Structure formats: structure tokens, C-alpha cells
Amino acid sequence: MSGSGSVLRALELKNPKLVLLESCSSLSHLKIIHGHMIRTHSIFDVFSVSRLIACCVDSLLGTNALDYAFRVFSQIQNPNLFIYNAIIRGFSVSENPDKAFCFYRQSQHHGLVPDNLTFPFLVKACTNWGSMCISSQTHCQIIKYGFEHDIYVQNALVHMYSTLEDMKAAQDVFQTITCLDVVSWTSMIAGFNKSGDVETARKLFDRMPDKNLVTWSVMISGYARNNCFGKAIELFQVLQSEGIQANETVMVSVVSSCAHLGALDLGEKAHDYVVKNNMTVNLILGTALVDMYGRCGSIEKAIQVFEDLPERDSLSWTALIAGLAMHGYAEKAVEYFSQMVKTGLLPRDITFTAVLSACSHGGLVERGLEIFEIMKRDYGIEPSQEHYGCVVDLLGRAGKLAEAEKFILEMPTKPNAPVWGALLGACRIHRNLEIAERAGNMLIQLKPEHSGYYVLLSNVYARTNKWENVEIMRQTMKEKGVKKPPGYSLIEIDEKIHKFTIGDKTHPEIESIERMWEEILRKIRLAGYTGNTADALFDIDEEEKEDALYRHSEKLAIAYGIMKVKRPITIRIVKNLRVCEDCHTATKLISKVFERELIVRDRNRFHHFKGGACSCMDYW
């Protein structure tokens, strides 16, 4: 029997209107019921009409249902509070939450007194609208009508103020709640996490008498969003120890944290947890897994997970293309881009950023320029500064520095610092002082507080033996109070993340690590290694420069890896800065002398070291 036929037959039952309204699953069915109500004059039954509007605003019936609810509402001569509450609720979660207040004012005009359901809906409208002014006015209305101590209203207010990041107001309401529940606590924790105060959020989390899975998820995701990736993973481990089963939302945060840390072992363990607990690998979790394997240096596993995804969207394709780009597999990235286009999916702006980056790292100049053109011509995507930066990087890395500079000067929009930075980075690679000075001076004007641009320009001066200019750069940084952020390297050993900084003395095994590095240094010197101090910024003699180079965080991490990671397991390291030329040279020799495979992820890409060579072919 057709859907319409089953609906009409059901109308013959006792009280069919209410039965069908409760079970209504589509707008077309609801319209049939409405038509029958008009024919039987049930449209004058206020309660039935109330239920009809309530069903209309149910999100399961689609966005058009709210417009239909408004049309039904406009035909009612004397709507009661229940009807007003229903229509306010509908618009509170719509694209136009401000309309909820129009209906509220209209209800007051008709002499209706709001109840404890009216205000939670209005507060939700404030939350979605994002207007602090209207939020304050709504709070005043709550006090005026005496609902400031109603638990549902209080929880709604805490959630509203937390979402709007007014944590003082949220705390003021929170402290007035006499019977705090999970909703109250979780809203506060979410608010502190959103405002970046994860320490206060964690204190509240630890004080909570009872937690549900939503609370755990909010705290773990809060850590992940505030770059506290290690803490996110640690809290997930606590959740496991307490016998609580995580859900897909929690695992997205955990997997993403592993990706940022480059912690492959922990990432694989998280993936195993997903499989063992029969979780649904939806688009969000699936994309997070692809991204994690790509960023943890296992691009083969990223491809495997991608191929096994039951469905794919533009973001999952982009995650794989970006992963291939980071590993330098330019041809493969372009191939997947072409496959994506053939499936009929429209590439997004970030998809083009990923594939242009792949072309840049792989030296595919002509292909990259072609893709840049089709982005505008075939997909109508206006290039962003990031896209322009990719093209400058593409041309610059290939040595086409004059062409890259010309491209910048002819941009339709004013180039930002990263665009000029791409040109300066290319000048560093190709030792072009003339263009470097123009780009560097422009960058220092745009971002006088950014240390990286001073360092890049200084390195160009050093490589071209302009030592007086190096000293000028150093003095300029000192005068302006610009400091270079410390580099650090991460290595995962036995599911624990170890962090090293230059000259680090805090690690409990630092003495053994330094002895190991001395042994490594002795052996690679026999293979031809000499410290490259050209990039050193310090105003110190050559011996001290070499000593500083030998204690770069990456070298300490490598030494620890050789101590702890047995053959044939790959040593994996993550850096927060671009790998320096000396460390790159040293690591190539280490891979040959010690017959070890090393994978280093720096700020820009992956370097796979094996047999004395790097996958980047010294083109980074």
C-alpha cells in the first residue's frame, strides 16, 4: 500500500489525528493529515493544531516543515501558549533564530504569560544567534517572570553563556543552581574549553560527582582543540581504565591528537579500539583515520583505510591528497585528485591547496599551474592567499624566482606575509640575495614581530657570506624584542611521547643520550660528515656553533631512537620547525652508517631517510 493510502486508512481509527501526528515521518504525510483536519473541522481543535505545529518544527521532517508550520500558525485566530512555545522552539534552532523573539513579543501582546518551557527555547535562540545584547535582555525577562531558579532555565543559561564565552556570567548562574546535574557541569566544562582555559575545565571535570560519556567527550575534545594532544590521549586512557566505552566522537578527538603528535603506535592502538568495539567508521572518523596515518608517516596505511571507507566525500579525498603531498608523492596525489574529479565530487578550496602543495614539493610546475587555472576556470573558485602562496612556492622551489616575484606583483589582491615568505624560502634554497632582500624587507614591514622571516633572510645572508648583514639582522631582532621560538622534536617510544629541545638536559636518560650522540657523531664523521654552521644565527665562534648544532633537538631524538628502537623498526620523529640543512645531512649519513630507516616530519613535509638518501631528493 502506498504511503498516502496507509495514512488515509489510519485516519479511520479512533483519535487518528493524534496517533498519526505522533508517528508522522515526512512532511508529505503531515500535509495529508492537515488536509483531513480541515475537512473534518478538526482545525479548530487547538490541541490538535498544537501537535501539528510541534510535529512541523521537528527537525526530522526537514527545513521546509518550519515554513509550513508558520503558515499553519498564521491561520490560528487565538493561539495558546503551547502553540507559541512550539513555534518559538522551531525558530530557535533554525537559520533565523531572531524570529523566535518576534513570536515571543507577539505572545506577550496577546496577554500570554511565558512558562518554564518558553525561556529555555528563547535562551537556545540566543545561543544560536550569538547576540550578547539579546542574551542579557532575555535573562532580564527570566528574572522578571521569576524563572531564574528553574533548573531547566538555569541549565539553558549556563549553556548559553558558556557558548558565548562569557564564563563569568556562566559561573554566576552555575553557582546559584542548588541541584547541579550532569548538564550543568558539562556546559561549564565545554565553556572553559572553548575559551581556552583547559586547566579550569579539568578541575571542574575532576570535581564532578557523576560523569556521562558526553562529559568525557567534551573534556577530551577540549584538550585536542587547545593543542593539548598528549593530555587528550592520557584522558582517553583514564576513560578506558574506568571501564567506560568511548564512542565515535571521542575517537575522532583521540585519533586527531595522535595525528598531531605523529604517534603512530598510539594511533594504531586507537584504530584497533574502533575495530574491536564495532564502531561505525563514518565519514568524520574515517577521514580522521586517513589523516592520522598520513601525518604519522604511514601513507600506505592511509591509502588502505581510504580505500576501505564505505563512502567518501571531498574532505576524505582531500585528507589523502594532503597526506601524499606531505610525503612527496606528487604524481600519486595528482592521480587521486583526477580520480576524485571523475567520481563527480566537486573539489573544495582546501583540496586545491593540497594538490598544489603536492605539485610544489614534487617539482611538477606545469601540472601545478594547469591545476591552478582549472580551479578558477572550471570550478569558479577564487584563489585565496593560500593558493597564491602555493603557486609562488611551486615556481620558487623550481628556481623560477623572477617568475615567482612577477606572479606576486601581478596578484589581484595584496599579497600577505605567507605569500612573500614562500618567495623568501625559495631564495634561501637557491641563494638569491637580490630577490631575498626585497621579499625580506616586505615581510619585516608586514610582520615585524615574526622571528621566522628575520631568520630566513639572515640565512640567505650567511649562505652568500654577507656576515655583516647577519649581524645587522641579529641586532634588529634584539632591538625589537623578537625571539626565535625554540625548536623541539617528538619521538614515541613504547606508547609514550618524549620531547626534546635544543641542549635539553631534563630527560632522565640525557647522559646516555649524549653518549650515544657522541658515538653517532664519531661514526658519521668517518663517513664524511662536517658540521654545517652556515645557518647558525649565534654571535659565537665556530666551535660553539658546532656544539649548538650537535645538540639540536632532532639529533637528540635520533640518538634516543637508536638507543630504544630495535631493527628493523623505523625511527619516527616529529619537528615543530623546518629541518635544518645540517640535521638533514647528518640524518642521511646516520641512515647509511647505522643501516636504519628514519622518517622525520617537519613543519612542511615528511623526509624518509634510507641508505644515505632522503625521499625529498634534497628538494625541500
Side-chain angles (χ1 to χ4, degrees):
M1 181 180 290
S2 68
S4 299
S6 63
V7 169
L8 291 172
R9 184 174 178 182
L11 287 169
E12 299 171 2
L13 299 172
K14 184 178 180 181
N15 297 322
K17 300 181 294 298
L18 300 183
V19 173
L20 285 171
L21 283 171
E22 292 300 325
S23 60
C24 190
S25 61
S26 72
L27 183 57
S28 59
H29 286 188
L30 186 137
K31 287 180 178 179
I32 293 169
I33 300 168
H34 186 202
H36 184 79
M37 290 170 66
I38 293 172
R39 288 193 299 274
T40 59
H41 301 289
S42 299
I43 194 69
F44 299 111
D45 178 350
V46 175
F47 182 73
S48 297
V49 175
S50 300
R51 296 306 310 148
L52 178 70
I53 291 176
C55 286
C56 281
V57 301
D58 191 327
S59 60
L60 295 176
L61 297 184
T63 55
N64 292 332
L66 189 56
D67 293 332
Y68 193 77
F70 175 69
R71 291 201 297 272
V72 172
F73 176 86
S74 62
Q75 295 171 6
I76 304 171
Q77 290 185 348
N78 294 301
N80 61 12
L81 184 61
F82 187 92
I83 293 174
Y84 270 109
N85 282 346
I87 201 76
I88 289 170
R89 177 169 72 92
F91 279 101
S92 70
V93 293
S94 73
E95 294 180 354
N96 301 297
D98 54 304
K99 288 186 177 180
F101 297 94
C102 297
F103 290 106
Y104 173 68
R105 287 191 293 270
Q106 191 176 325
S107 71
Q108 288 193 305
H109 180 73
H110 284 88
L112 296 175
V113 178
D115 62 9
N116 67 334
L117 293 178
T118 310
F119 286 116
F121 299 150
L122 280 178
V123 171
K124 181 171 285 188
C126 292
T127 305
N128 292 328
W129 192 1
S131 170
M132 186 58 74
C133 178
I134 299 299
S135 299
S136 299
Q137 291 178 33
T138 303
H139 197 167
C140 290
Q141 288 287 301
I142 289 168
I143 296 170
K144 174 183 175 181
Y145 286 99
F147 288 105
E148 68 270 28
H149 297 297
D150 181 276
I151 184 61
Y152 298 108
V153 175
Q154 288 174 316
N155 279 341
L157 285 170
V158 170
H159 176 70
M160 176 189 74
Y161 284 125
S162 296
T163 303
L164 299 178
E165 297 183 57
D166 186 345
M167 294 313 298
K168 183 181 184 305
Q171 277 185 301
D172 289 342
V173 177
F174 183 76
Q175 290 169 354
T176 66
I177 302 176
T178 55
C179 187
L180 293 167
D181 59 14
V182 173
V183 176
S184 322
W185 287 95
T186 304
S187 293
M188 287 296 293
I189 292 167
F192 280 116
N193 279 327
K194 187 177 180 184
S195 64
D197 189 356
V198 290
E199 290 186 10
T200 303
R202 182 58 188 268
K203 288 176 183 177
L204 283 174
F205 178 85
D206 291 337
R207 280 175 50 201
M208 251 182 109
D210 298 299
K211 306 176 183 73
N212 60 16
L213 188 55
V214 174
T215 315
W216 284 91
S217 178
V218 164
M219 193 63 240
I220 292 171
S221 66
Y223 273 140
R225 289 174 182 174
N226 285 284
N227 301 326
C228 301
F229 306 115
K231 290 184 180 296
I233 294 170
E234 287 173 9
L235 191 57
F236 169 62
Q237 292 167 339
V238 174
L239 179 146
Q240 288 179 281
S241 68
E242 296 195 7
I244 301 169
Q245 183 175 319
N247 59 14
E248 289 82 359
T249 304
V250 172
M251 295 314 298
V252 168
S253 296
V254 173
V255 169
S256 298
S257 296
C258 294
H260 281 90
L261 293 171
L264 181 61
D265 291 345
L266 286 168
E268 288 180 326
K269 194 170 181 181
H271 191 185
D272 289 341
Y273 183 91
V274 169
V275 174
K276 287 176 184 176
N277 288 283
N278 298 312
M279 291 187 189
T280 302
V281 181
N282 54 29
L283 273 173
I284 298 174
L285 180 54
T287 301
L289 286 166
V290 172
D291 180 63
M292 181 272 291
Y293 280 116
R295 296 179 71 172
C296 288
S298 182
I299 195 64
E300 300 83 6
K301 197 69 178 287
I303 293 171
Q304 180 186 327
V305 171
F306 176 82
E307 298 292 353
D308 290 341
L309 289 178
E311 58 176 327
R312 303 169 191 143
D313 64 0
S314 59
L315 287 178
S316 49
W317 282 92
T318 301
L320 182 62
I321 293 167
L324 290 163
M326 286 183 71
H327 286 267
Y329 299 127
E331 298 280 2
K332 197 78 174 173
V334 172
E335 180 185 325
Y336 272 99
F337 175 75
S338 299
Q339 287 182 33
M340 174 188 173
V341 171
K342 287 176 184 176
T343 65
L345 279 172
L346 293 176
R348 298 170 61 156
D349 55 349
I350 55 172
T351 313
F352 281 103
T353 300
V355 72
L356 286 171
S357 175
C359 292
S360 175
H361 286 296
L364 306 180
V365 178
E366 296 305 319
R367 187 72 178 105
L369 293 174
E370 179 187 329
I371 288 170
F372 181 73
E373 285 304 315
I374 69 167
M375 177 179 74
K376 297 183 290 183
R377 185 187 67 224
D378 298 349
Y379 296 98
I381 297 176
E382 280 300 315
S384 66
Q385 293 279 351
E386 200 167 3
H387 297 125
Y388 285 117
C390 286
V391 175
V392 172
D393 195 50
L394 174 76
L395 295 168
R397 285 176 187 273
K400 299 177 180 292
L401 297 172
E403 195 174 331
E405 185 178 27
K406 183 173 181 289
F407 179 84
I408 292 176
L409 296 174
E410 292 177 353
M411 281 173 55
T413 57
K414 185 179 179 180
N416 64 7
V419 172
W420 284 107
L423 180 61
L424 181 57
C427 291
R428 176 186 180 279
I429 295 170
H430 298 286
R431 305 179 187 228
N432 188 309
L433 179 58
E434 182 184 348
I435 296 177
E437 286 190 314
R438 289 198 291 270
N441 290 331
M442 184 64 71
L443 282 163
I444 291 171
Q445 288 178 37
L446 289 171
K447 292 281 185 179
E449 76 287 352
H450 194 294
S451 66
Y453 301 134
Y454 293 90
V455 174
L456 267 177
L457 184 54
S458 177
N459 288 341
V460 177
Y461 284 133
R463 288 183 172 207
T464 53
N465 295 316
K466 300 287 184 180
W467 297 107
E468 290 182 7
N469 299 75
V470 172
E471 178 58 26
I472 290 170
M473 282 290 100
R474 174 177 160 75
Q475 283 299 122
T476 302
M477 288 179 69
K478 186 180 290 186
E479 288 168 7
K480 293 185 177 181
V482 178
K483 294 184 179 179
K484 183 181 177 183
Y488 65 80
S489 296
L490 307 176
I491 184 169
E492 180 188 18
I493 304 290
D494 297 328
E495 298 181 5
K496 183 180 178 182
I497 305 297
H498 297 261
K499 181 177 181 179
F500 293 93
T501 57
I502 187 170
D504 193 357
K505 295 287 186 180
T506 60
H507 195 282
E509 297 180 73
I510 189 61
E511 292 182 4
S512 299
I513 294 168
E514 289 186 335
R515 283 196 298 271
M516 173 55 74
W517 174 248
E518 291 300 327
E519 176 64 13
I520 292 170
L521 188 58
R522 184 182 67 80
K523 290 185 176 181
I524 63 175
R525 274 177 171 161
L526 293 174
Y529 170 75
T530 56
N532 181 354
T533 60
D535 288 349
L537 249 186
F538 310 105
D539 186 20
I540 50 182
D541 61 32
E542 286 301 309
E543 184 178 344
E544 288 177 299
K545 285 181 182 179
E546 285 191 9
D547 187 58
L549 284 174
Y550 300 157
R551 282 166 176 75
H552 273 192
S553 63
E554 183 180 340
K555 294 184 174 84
L556 294 174
I558 289 172
Y560 194 55
I562 289 177
M563 282 172 55
K564 298 293 183 179
V565 180
K566 306 302 178 187
R567 289 191 187 92
I569 300 172
T570 301
I571 296 171
R572 301 171 188 274
I573 291 165
V574 174
K575 287 178 61 67
N576 68 322
L577 302 177
R578 179 187 180 278
V579 60
C580 78
E581 190 167 319
D582 181 75
C583 284
H584 194 266
T585 300
T587 310
K588 284 195 295 183
L589 286 170
I590 290 167
S591 72
K592 180 181 180 180
V593 171
F594 287 82
E595 298 180 340
R596 300 299 300 266
E597 183 175 357
L598 301 99
I599 297 179
V600 177
R601 186 185 94 192
D602 73 4
R603 187 177 58 193
N604 297 326
R605 62 165 296 157
F606 274 93
H607 300 263
H608 294 249
F609 297 93
K610 189 175 182 180
C614 178
S615 60
C616 75
M617 304 296 290
D618 297 337
Y619 187 79
W620 88 103

